[in-house]
Amino acid sequence: MKVAFLGLGAIGAPMARHLAPQYTLSVWNRTASRATDFARENNAQAATSPADAVRGAAIAITCLPTSREVESLLDGEDGMLGAVDRGATLVDCTSGDPATSRRIAARLAERGVGFVDAPVSGGVSGAVKGILTIMCGGDEGAMARARPILEAFGEKIVLCGPVGAGHAVKAINQAMLGVHIWSLAEGLVALEKAGVSTATALEVINASSGRSNTSMNLFPERVMTRAFPRTFRLALMDKDVRIAADFAREHGVPSPLLQLVSELLREARRELGEEADHVETAKVLEEWAGVEIGRKA
Ligand code: NDP
């Protein structure tokens, strides 16, 4: 069975790597050298265009920055729409937005092609290990076709509702992550300024009710060590949290915290630039306060 994978970025590449041993895998990437390198190293085929990638594939997976880029790959001579087989399913692992996905799904449906939005959580390390959480939106038939392929890199795979539901859940998850990072950075900066050991504070918080993945893993591994590896761009998290804030607003829900964290992350992105990692947000708080977390032993 042929599977196509489009978008070999930081998380797309390790996801696609799990598919190569199990399927006839065709990969496409905007920067073609990444696809040819991947194909050589993983016994896959490098496609010359999105159309070339999806032709004859039962499942086509996209993993791009936003839904806008996914939509842009549909049209034109090299676009997916003119080449994808009737009966195939497009599985979009982008952290996208529900409204654009509904539009994409409707266009595909006109051609007898299914659609599942299937954004992932678990980071690059989760993708490498093949243990991502995948939150899906779509109908049960499309989901049944997508699930065995998603199992190659996912551990917890949940159908959340109709098309767009996966993206909505992902956006809200990202807003929670944004709140955790921002609030922990503010709190640790205050403790640092007051002369309290932030290593001790983290040890206590991680045995208390305020703990989170951010306090248990991200800050100990990335902030306290000053390693700040670049695995998930702040620019992408800003985009995710904006989707969450817009989603709440579109549904007429009072959401002061979602709106605020979205504004704060936009500011952090402005200050740190397009390539900064999401955890580097802590540096903005450090800069504002004039202290560095983890200085006091
Ligand atoms: P990257 O920025 O590392 O990679 C983006 C990919 O999209 C690259 O393959 C890039 O191609 C391609 N691309 C960018 N613009 C276009 C375009 N206009 N047309 C076609 N292709 C394009 O992103 P990630 O891999 O980190 O993220 C991908 C998605 O997964 C995002 O929605 C992100 O929010 C989500 N995600 C990421 C996680 C992570 O830890 N990194 C965790 C969970 C979700 P090129 O090589 O040419 O630049």
Side-chain angles (χ1 to χ4, degrees):
M1 178 168 121
K2 178 176 168 181
V3 174
F5 199 104
L6 298 91
L8 300 170
I11 198 151
M15 285 160 62
R17 216 160 273 136
H18 292 284
L19 296 167
Q22 300 181 44
Y23 301 99
T24 303
L25 180 65
S26 174
V27 292
W28 178 84
N29 195 70
R30 179 181 60 173
T31 304
S33 59
R34 290 175 95 168
T36 45
D37 290 351
F38 180 98
R40 195 181 50 252
E41 290 158 15
N42 296 282
N43 195 25
Q45 297 157 6
T48 53
S49 66
D52 182 30
V54 303
R55 198 170 286 117
I59 301 282
I61 300 176
T62 41
C63 190
L64 302 174
T66 74
S67 294
R68 206 166 344 113
E69 284 84 31
V70 178
E71 197 170 32
S72 76
L73 297 193
L74 291 179
D75 294 307
E77 206 179 306
D78 288 340
M80 295 191 284
L81 219 46
V84 64
D85 286 3
R86 180 167 281 275
T89 305
L90 176 64
V91 179
D92 183 21
C93 291
T94 304
S95 299
D97 69 272
T100 308
S101 281
R102 282 193 291 270
R103 205 160 58 224
I104 293 171
R107 294 191 65 197
L108 290 167
E110 285 170 10
R111 301 200 169 225
V113 176
F115 179 87
V116 175
D117 47 304
V120 306
S121 181
V124 171
S125 66
V128 170
K129 291 181 197 143
I131 55 166
L132 293 170
T133 296
I134 311 181
M135 44 218 104
C136 303
D139 65 47
E140 286 185 4
M143 186 65 207
R145 293 190 291 279
R147 189 181 284 278
I149 283 76
L150 293 174
E151 280 171 352
F153 47 78
E155 190 170 63
K156 187 167 183 66
I157 303 167
V158 181
L159 181 60
C160 300
V163 169
H167 283 151
V169 173
K170 171 68 183 179
I172 299 299
N173 177 78
Q174 296 302 91
M176 306 286 301
L177 173 62
V179 169
H180 288 154
I181 291 175
W182 196 281
S183 59
L184 185 60
E186 271 190 22
L188 292 184
V189 158
L191 289 166
E192 188 77 42
K193 192 112 188 177
V196 177
S197 160
T198 45
T200 304
L202 267 180
E203 188 188 331
V204 172
I205 288 166
N206 285 336
S208 303
S209 48
R211 69 182 181 270
S212 63
N213 180 54
T214 301
S215 67
M216 296 180 80
N217 296 307
L218 293 181
F219 271 52
E221 290 167 11
R222 299 174 177 219
V223 180
M224 303 307 280
T225 59
R226 311 307 293 174
F228 292 108
R230 291 187 159 174
T231 61
F232 174 51
R233 292 190 295 126
L234 169 61
L236 292 173
M237 189 163 82
D238 169 38
K239 167 264 302 182
D240 291 342
V241 180
R242 200 174 311 187
I243 292 170
D246 289 349
F247 180 76
R249 224 180 2 234
E250 280 159 19
H251 287 81
V253 174
S255 53
L257 186 52
L258 291 189
Q259 306 304 325
L260 177 61
V261 74
S262 174
E263 279 170 34
L264 293 170
L265 292 173
R266 200 166 319 153
E267 174 60 26
R269 177 179 177 176
R270 260 196 300 270
E271 292 201 15
L272 296 169
E274 292 302 291
E275 296 309 317
D277 186 73
H278 65 307
V279 181
E280 288 181 80
T281 300
K283 291 181 180 171
V284 173
L285 280 306
E286 293 179 330
E287 171 80 20
W288 289 353
V291 294
E292 203 171 271
I293 295 167
R295 280 281 152 191
K296 173 128 185 72

